Amino acid sequence: AEALQEKIAPYVQQTVDSHLAFLNRFEKEGKQPEKVDEESEVAYVTSAIQLARAYGKRNEVDSLRESLRWHELVVTYVNGHQIETLKAEAQVCNEMIELLPRRIANLKA
């Protein structure tokens, strides 16, 4: 498993960098926005999900915490703005929100 982590690490980092670069374009005063333009919503949320997943590929506490944070952001955004087309994705994010704290605790142990 460790060899696989090393093998995919550069690709995971590229994914993280690309999605952060995209998502940072939406930032307002250094924070993710409360709302993005409707025509950009699906791209914004999808990118946030992919970023959360990329962070989740790393077996490091800090990365898993970032994964958890981005999953929470997606759920808050989708539910807060009632985006019906992304409800299924938000449900998957909810499941990850339940699982990630256990993974983090296991890594700390």
Side-chain angles (χ1 to χ4, degrees):
E2 203 168 306
L4 178 61
Q5 284 287 317
E6 284 181 34
K7 190 174 185 176
I8 68 169
Y11 304 110
V12 172
Q13 189 59 52
Q14 285 178 330
T15 302
V16 166
D17 293 345
S18 297
H19 285 287
L20 280 176
F22 176 76
L23 291 164
N24 287 345
R25 293 183 179 155
F26 293 94
E27 279 188 359
K28 297 209 169 56
E29 298 169 19
K31 294 181 179 174
Q32 290 301 315
E34 296 290 319
K35 180 95 170 105
V36 299
D37 294 335
E38 203 169 311
E39 63 271 5
S40 300
E41 269 183 337
V42 172
Y44 175 79
V45 172
T46 302
S47 184
I49 291 168
Q50 293 305 320
L51 178 60
R53 287 181 181 153
Y55 275 125
K57 296 277 184 225
R58 295 178 174 163
N59 246 353
E60 303 162 357
V61 171
D62 289 343
S63 289
L64 293 179
R65 283 187 178 136
E66 277 299 296
S67 179
L68 180 59
R69 187 175 78 81
W70 281 98
H71 279 103
E72 289 169 341
L73 183 142
V74 167
V75 170
T76 300
Y77 191 92
V78 171
N79 292 341
H81 299 293
Q82 298 296 310
I83 305 171
E84 292 301 318
T85 55
L86 296 169
K87 288 286 187 195
E89 288 86 343
Q91 184 55 44
V92 171
C93 288
N94 266 326
E95 291 170 19
M96 290 305 297
I97 290 167
E98 289 180 28
L99 296 174
L100 281 167
R102 277 182 246 147
R103 275 187 66 197
I104 292 168
N106 288 342
L107 277 178
K108 285 179 165 179

